[in-house]
Amino acid sequence: MAYNYNTNSMFQHALYFALLILVVGADFPFKNTSLPWDQRVDDLVGRLTLDELVLQISRGGAGENGPAPAIERLGILPYQWNTECLRGDVEAGNATSFPQAIGLSATFSRELIFRMAEATGVEVRAKHTSYMADKNYGDHTGLSCFSPVINIMRHPLWGRNQETYGEDPYLSGELAKSYVRGLQGNHPRYIRANAGCKHFDAYAGPENIPSSRFKFDAKVSDRDWQMTFLPQFRECVKAGSYNIMCSYNSINGIPACANKKLLTDILRTEFGFKGYVVSDELALEFVSLDHQYTKSYEETAVLAIKAGCNLDLSVFANNVYMTSSKVVQSGNLTKEEIVNLTKPLFYTRMRLGEFDPPSMNPYMKLDLSNIQSKEHRALSIELATKSYVLLKNDGNLLPMKGGLKKIAFVGPFADSYKELFGDYAPDPDPKFAKTPRQGLMKLASNNSFASGCTSPKCTIYDPTSVVLAVDGADMAVVCLGTGASVEAESNDRSDMNLPGHQLQLLQDVVAKIQGNKKPVVLLLFNAGPLDITWAVSNSGVQVIMECFLPAQATGDALYQVFTNTNGVNPAGRLPATWPASMSQVLPITNYTMKGRTYRYFDGDPLFPFGYGMSYTKFDYTQLTLSASTIKPCDNVTVSVTVHNIGKLAGDEVVQVYISWEKASVPVPVHQLVEFSRTHLNPGQQATVQFQLVPRVMAVYTDQEVIEPGKINVFVGGQQPNQKVKLSSPVLKSSFVIQGGVTQLKSCKYPGWGN
């Protein structure tokens, strides 16, 4: 994608301020671009007084706690760390709003996540340059993103499911790598913006039901920790993320942001992380206030600094890390410890180009014409179309050609664009956003509308308006779901029911229109699974499509999917299991993985992980493995032929799972180890190859090991052995690992960060 660079006014502003810095600090070695990075960082940090160092580690944002202050005697400007970029530049004015993360994960596409993150990074950088020219250092003006969220969606009622990449560690890790690389760019010297994977670690509910996230203690076994909660963070680190955010919760009794085992032993020593750790907002303050793990801010500062938390993200100027000078003076910390804590912060700023001449950094030339560019708006539509998951399509109602006389649009999401964005969304100019009604109304010569509810909570319901809207319609499009008012940060759900009177609304529509034998299409806008068993089993609802929270492109994307415009064919796949009922849902406070997610659940869900229908059909043949026996550290090449045997072009998400025949320890029923999204025209076939690397074969004893034994391999467009399934086959093969038990870390190429 080509991006717009302004070499005139905006660049001149940036150059002007940079030259001021250079004049002040022209003779400082940290300004010398010919020196190695570590020497420059050592020189800069070595010039700071203790009080200056403390301010740098204390001012992580937000509000009055940011920005990190200027150091005028060295020509160093303020810097704002508090920036959110989950799927666009958040709270920074008009910016392209891409679909929510849970929808992006449904694309099962590394390439699409990369392109989204790249576009986000371009807009973040362009806005930052403009803000700096205006000397605006407020919240959300910086380049250091607290994104992506890669916690595991282990419970359907957790409020923050929408921010995640779903329930699978492998999928989450692969998409995290794509995000990090897309956002940061591939320049050999500079990064466009820096990524920050969060929330580290074992943070996946509760938010507020039945207890507060600010004091929750996740009791996690070593096996679940290593097999489920850590792998995607290791991939984030291996991809080169500059930042990790530690979480609110405690893990086995120790708050995450004061947890040396987590932040030093695992993150830095085991994973090799070289960047900075920032606390979640007020997480350091909650160590004493809510967890009551310490008795004072001073005690918290000692533990957190020694654990390896570099930056205090607070909302208060007088926060935990502001006590650090006092703690050093008391002898409980040394200045050297503060110096070492500060170095990754300035290293990051150097790699962003702050201390180099602007002419050296091509990212400095990105200008505001990139915001909501034609290319970015087109990408937002493409992402939405490729995220929608078709769950039901009786009689092949979709795709359709239009020509209807009247469509009725009903439900709280049908024509309210603000409900379609979800949490942590950019704020696009409304002219760029289209609702389902605005996108689909051209399918008919007339349309009617009734929200039926005053909000997604639907506590107040007006059935009369719904019935009147549906009267005489050739088709009803019912738009239901949750949105950020029902599930979001700080807001868990208590059950999987459609909120309030939404089910009654749907039933009223079906009852009214069924007498005329007209179709009903149900569109869902949510993150966590919903109990839609009535709609699934009722013949009056012909189509069910999971849309997640598609943001500004909702209406345009729906039109393309409904009409097969430009060959658009739904190929999203569910990134999380949809339980059949609450009887399959375990308590959110219990952190054992047994019985949770498709990897450890042995029942029959309403819809399985990886499920999604298409307008066409696919067949699988010729599954081959590169070897029938391997040594513990070998790769295995998997090859399969996929054939579009239907009448329409479409994408197929090829999924590869493995299971262990006789592992010595508890392992998943089966787990995703590779995936690919492949476009095929009618009658076309393609051979798709995958590399299975040692890390996906590892099990956890008291460490990650490769055990000898038989590994089963399943390849298809879905999980193996599911009650709810597509017509395409899942092929099976196997290979045998021969040799002794082998430590994964001894494998030369274990597959980390590839």
Side-chain angles (χ1 to χ4, degrees):
M1 185 179 292
Y3 290 108
N4 298 320
Y5 298 87
N6 186 336
T7 58
N8 296 314
S9 59
M10 187 178 297
F11 181 58
Q12 289 169 357
H13 281 298
L15 182 60
Y16 171 73
F17 291 112
L19 287 173
L20 287 179
I21 300 169
L22 289 170
V23 169
V24 175
D27 297 328
F28 294 139
F30 74 82
K31 294 289 187 181
N32 186 342
T33 59
S34 67
L35 291 178
W37 295 113
D38 58 345
Q39 290 185 27
R40 296 178 66 186
V41 171
D42 288 346
D43 177 72
L44 190 161
V45 175
R47 296 177 183 278
L48 304 185
T49 66
L50 177 60
D51 287 343
E52 287 171 335
L53 290 165
V54 168
L55 279 170
Q56 293 301 315
I57 66 172
S58 300
R59 295 291 181 250
E64 66 181 31
N65 191 45
I71 305 172
E72 294 182 3
R73 64 186 179 85
L74 299 179
I76 297 174
L77 295 174
Y79 185 75
Q80 178 59 250
W81 294 100
N82 182 32
T83 299
E84 297 281 358
C85 324
L86 185 61
R87 31 56 181 264
D89 196 2
V90 179
E91 294 187 35
N94 179 40
T96 309
S97 187
F98 300 107
Q100 179 58 292
I102 191 65
L104 294 173
S105 67
T107 67
F108 274 66
S109 172
R110 297 172 177 88
E111 181 248 345
L112 289 173
I113 301 301
F114 179 93
R115 290 168 56 201
M116 180 279 299
E118 181 181 45
T120 295
V122 166
E123 295 200 10
V124 168
R125 172 62 81 160
K127 281 177 169 287
H128 172 76
T129 300
S130 176
Y131 287 133
M132 295 308 96
D134 294 335
K135 299 184 180 181
N136 181 352
Y137 305 104
D139 285 337
H140 307 288
T141 62
L143 293 169
S144 299
C145 298
F146 299 153
S147 311
V149 176
I150 55 174
N151 299 107
I152 293 301
M153 183 179 168
R154 66 176 189 97
H155 199 281
L157 304 182
W158 183 34
R160 303 190 77 170
N161 284 329
Q162 62 179 278
E163 300 172 48
T164 75
Y165 290 145
E167 73 181 28
D168 184 73
Y170 182 79
L171 177 65
S172 296
E174 293 300 295
L175 300 186
K177 288 189 294 190
S178 294
Y179 180 98
V180 170
R181 292 165 178 165
L183 184 86
Q184 295 185 170
N186 60 1
H187 192 276
R189 182 176 181 87
Y190 301 110
I191 52 175
R192 183 166 39 227
N194 77 270
C197 294
K198 63 182 184 182
H199 311 79
F200 197 58
D201 190 34
Y203 173 65
E207 292 291 297
N208 64 325
I209 300 175
S211 59
S212 169
R213 61 181 173 156
F214 301 133
K215 60 183 179 182
F216 180 72
D217 183 15
K219 301 295 186 182
V220 185
S221 71
D222 284 347
R223 177 168 294 111
D224 285 341
W225 203 359
Q226 293 287 340
M227 294 287 285
T228 297
F229 298 111
L230 287 173
Q232 62 277 21
F233 282 96
R234 179 166 55 195
E235 295 307 299
C236 172
V237 170
K238 298 302 181 183
S241 179
Y242 279 68
N243 164 27
I244 296 290
M245 177 182 283
C246 54
S247 52
Y248 286 122
N249 57 292
S250 288
I251 303 172
N252 299 328
I254 305 175
C257 291
N259 194 321
K260 182 178 180 295
K261 177 180 179 180
L262 180 68
L263 302 185
T264 295
D265 299 346
I266 294 175
L267 182 60
R268 289 185 168 88
T269 303
E270 185 179 336
F271 291 0
F273 180 63
K274 303 297 184 184
Y276 66 94
V277 174
V278 60
S279 70
D280 205 341
E281 188 172 286
L282 287 171
L284 289 179
E285 285 67 38
F286 291 142
V287 170
S288 61
L289 298 177
D290 283 71
H291 290 282
Q292 298 185 349
Y293 187 74
T294 58
K295 296 180 180 179
S296 66
Y297 278 9
E298 291 86 351
E299 185 183 355
T300 300
V302 172
L303 292 179
I305 287 171
K306 289 184 178 294
C309 182
N310 302 79
L311 189 61
D312 189 345
L313 172 60
S314 182
V315 296
F316 304 125
N318 294 319
N319 56 39
V320 165
Y321 274 9
M322 283 300 292
T323 68
S324 299
S325 292
K326 178 180 178 182
V327 174
V328 170
Q329 293 166 3
S330 70
N332 291 315
L333 286 173
T334 65
K335 181 182 177 181
E336 183 180 8
E337 288 176 300
I338 308 299
V339 166
N340 290 333
L341 209 66
T342 310
K343 286 182 179 180
L345 301 177
F346 280 106
Y347 174 73
T348 300
R349 292 170 67 173
M350 283 188 181
R351 295 302 300 270
L352 288 164
E354 182 177 343
F355 304 112
D356 288 4
S359 59
M360 293 180 64
N361 186 352
Y363 298 135
M364 288 285 290
K365 301 173 186 178
L366 289 166
D367 64 30
L368 294 179
S369 66
N370 291 286
I371 309 304
Q372 286 282 11
S373 67
K374 181 180 178 180
E375 292 81 7
H376 288 184
R377 296 198 307 272
L379 177 60
S380 70
I381 296 171
E382 180 185 359
L383 288 163
T385 63
K386 292 183 176 180
S387 70
Y388 294 161
V389 181
L390 185 62
L391 299 175
K392 184 178 181 181
N393 192 22
D394 286 356
N396 294 320
L397 179 67
L398 297 182
M400 59 191 308
K401 296 181 179 180
L404 302 176
K405 292 182 179 180
K406 177 183 176 183
I407 298 179
F409 297 94
V410 295
F413 293 87
D415 203 31
S416 176
Y417 84 91
K418 292 183 179 180
E419 304 294 351
L420 303 168
F421 285 78
D423 218 356
Y424 287 95
D427 303 313
D429 187 317
K431 70 182 180 182
F432 296 121
K434 280 191 180 179
T435 65
R437 183 188 182 192
Q438 290 170 331
L440 296 173
M441 64 170 56
K442 52 189 172 183
L443 292 174
S445 52
N446 292 291
N447 74 89
S448 56
F449 164 70
S451 65
C453 309
T454 55
S455 75
K457 294 182 179 180
C458 207
T459 54
I460 300 175
Y461 172 50
D462 178 12
T464 302
S465 66
V466 169
V467 172
L468 286 173
V470 173
D471 188 38
D474 296 307
M475 183 173 75
V477 178
V478 183
C479 303
L480 306 178
T482 56
S485 64
V486 174
E487 55 175 337
E489 183 175 9
S490 302
N491 192 15
D492 297 318
R493 293 183 296 157
S494 58
D495 55 49
M496 295 192 300
N497 295 337
L498 286 165
H501 296 280
Q502 285 191 28
L503 178 58
Q504 184 62 54
L505 184 156
L506 176 62
Q507 291 172 336
D508 288 347
V509 170
V510 172
K512 176 65 178 178
I513 206 169
Q514 206 168 26
N516 298 327
K517 298 182 179 180
K518 301 298 183 181
V520 173
V521 174
L522 173 60
L523 302 180
L524 297 172
F525 299 90
N526 58 294
L530 292 166
D531 184 351
I532 55 168
T533 51
W534 185 87
V536 171
S537 61
N538 193 287
S539 61
V541 180
Q542 281 75 24
V543 172
I544 302 175
M545 188 175 293
E546 172 57 62
C547 303
F548 303 102
L549 297 159
Q552 69 180 55
T554 302
D556 286 327
L558 282 172
Y559 179 81
Q560 291 190 15
V561 171
F562 269 50
T563 60
N564 194 224
T565 299
N566 299 321
V568 170
N569 186 339
R573 300 292 182 262
L574 291 178
T577 304
W578 279 41
S581 69
M582 283 298 295
S583 66
Q584 295 180 345
V585 178
L586 301 176
I588 195 171
T589 53
N590 182 345
Y591 260 68
T592 179
M593 288 305 298
K594 184 178 181 180
R596 298 180 190 275
T597 74
Y598 80 92
R599 297 167 69 229
Y600 297 99
F601 177 64
D602 58 6
D604 294 320
L606 181 64
F607 293 110
F609 170 90
Y611 180 82
M613 302 172 67
S614 172
Y615 296 156
T616 191
K617 294 182 179 181
F618 299 94
D619 192 21
Y620 286 79
T621 58
Q622 300 176 359
L623 172 61
T624 61
L625 307 184
S626 59
S628 58
T629 60
I630 65 167
K631 296 177 182 179
C633 290
D634 289 347
N635 292 342
V636 174
T637 301
V638 177
S639 177
V640 71
T641 297
V642 188
H643 188 188
N644 184 345
I645 58 174
K647 297 180 180 180
L648 294 174
D651 289 1
E652 172 68 329
V653 175
V654 184
Q655 303 167 43
V656 184
Y657 296 85
I658 66 168
S659 67
W660 293 261
E661 192 88 342
K662 292 183 180 179
S664 67
V665 293
V667 293
V669 177
H670 50 258
Q671 71 176 20
L672 185 74
V673 294
E674 256 296 0
F675 60 92
S676 176
R677 186 167 177 139
T678 302
H679 183 79
L680 294 171
N681 292 320
Q684 184 182 6
Q685 65 181 34
T687 299
V688 184
Q689 285 193 339
F690 304 94
Q691 284 284 335
L692 305 190
V693 294
R695 70 177 170 91
V696 304
M697 309 174 202
V699 301
Y700 187 83
T701 53
D702 58 353
Q703 60 184 318
E704 288 181 288
V705 299
I706 307 292
E707 290 188 335
K710 184 179 180 181
I711 302 286
N712 295 313
V713 179
F714 306 90
V715 183
Q718 58 194 323
Q719 279 188 65
N721 308 318
Q722 296 300 303
K723 183 177 180 180
V724 177
K725 59 185 179 181
L726 306 173
S727 60
S728 62
V730 176
L731 305 183
K732 179 182 178 182
S733 187
S734 64
F735 61 91
V736 175
I737 302 174
Q738 293 182 339
V741 175
T742 303
Q743 293 181 334
L744 179 62
K745 63 183 179 182
S746 71
C747 297
K748 188 174 182 180
Y749 302 108
W752 290 328
N754 291 346

